[in-house]
Amino acid sequence: MTTEATHKRVPFVIEWRDGFKIGIDQVDQEHRHLFTLVRALNLASVDHTVDELLDYVVTHFSNEQAMMEKSGYPAFEQHLKLHEEFAAQVAEFLGSDQGWTEDRVQEMRKFLNKWLIGHIMTHDLRFGKWLTSRPVPSAPLVQQVAPKSGGFFARLFGRK
């Protein structure tokens, strides 16, 4: 093995597992897709992949928040704040003047994976357990919701 091969970084990749499921099919599918997008981050396509990832995060957060609000989830406001804090952290990371390097891509991937797992396994799982323990509502809660134009995430990420 050459010295160069020994020092080459192995990409920080976490694969989706069924243990990340929260019991709401649409949310689980969206989470799975987020993992796929994070895994796709690489130096060659970072600008395109980050744009796609941000668009999808806006859509996912909008869908999840609409579901929480419609269901009357008691921790909705706290959950909304967690999403806003995440968006601010990502905006700060992306707003730096640093160019993309392999190390910076890996740092972004690591941050996103750690945040996703921590958020899913605590806050989203709590919502999933709460929602699935309730009586079945007369109107469906799970539906695709288009992100609101001019919403917090759209403004923060420059999406209209």
Side-chain angles (χ1 to χ4, degrees), residues 54-74:
L54 294 180
D55 285 343
Y56 199 76
V57 165
V58 169
T59 299
H60 168 65
F61 281 1
S62 297
N63 289 340
E64 190 175 85
Q65 289 166 194
M67 195 180 305
M68 288 177 175
E69 193 170 30
K70 189 173 182 180
S71 70
Y73 183 52

Side-chain angles (χ1 to χ4, degrees), residues 1-58:
M1 187 178 275
T2 67
T3 306
E4 185 178 318
T6 318
H7 287 78
K8 187 173 181 178
R9 275 188 149 189
V10 175
F12 186 89
V13 177
I14 296 180
E15 298 286 339
W16 168 265
R17 317 171 231 231
D18 285 345
F20 297 148
K21 287 183 177 181
I22 68 163
I24 303 169
D25 289 341
Q26 178 183 333
V27 176
D28 289 334
Q29 289 170 6
E30 290 176 3
H31 286 161
R32 178 186 293 259
H33 188 65
L34 286 169
F35 275 86
T36 300
L37 291 171
V38 172
R39 188 178 63 241
L41 276 172
N42 64 62
L43 191 55
S45 66
V46 68
D47 290 326
H48 170 75
T49 306
V50 165
D51 285 346
E52 187 177 351
L53 184 59
L54 294 180
D55 285 343
Y56 199 76
V57 165
V58 169

Side-chain angles (χ1 to χ4, degrees), residues 86-100:
F86 168 78
Q89 288 176 304
V90 170
E92 183 179 325
F93 184 87
L94 295 176
S96 79
D97 291 338
Q98 295 179 20
W100 286 108

Side-chain angles (χ1 to χ4, degrees), residues 104-153:
R104 191 157 180 257
V105 169
Q106 294 304 320
E107 182 183 349
M108 176 77 158
R109 184 183 286 144
K110 187 173 185 176
F111 164 75
L112 292 171
N113 274 317
K114 286 175 81 173
W115 191 89
L116 270 172
I117 292 168
H119 185 77
I120 289 169
M121 297 309 295
T122 54
H123 308 287
D124 287 349
L125 186 59
R126 191 174 299 138
F127 172 60
K129 286 180 179 180
W130 178 84
L131 186 63
T132 57
S133 71
R134 298 178 49 80
V136 177
S138 56
L141 292 172
V142 181
Q143 58 186 355
Q144 290 287 351
V145 177
K148 294 176 185 172
S149 179
F152 174 80
F153 296 105

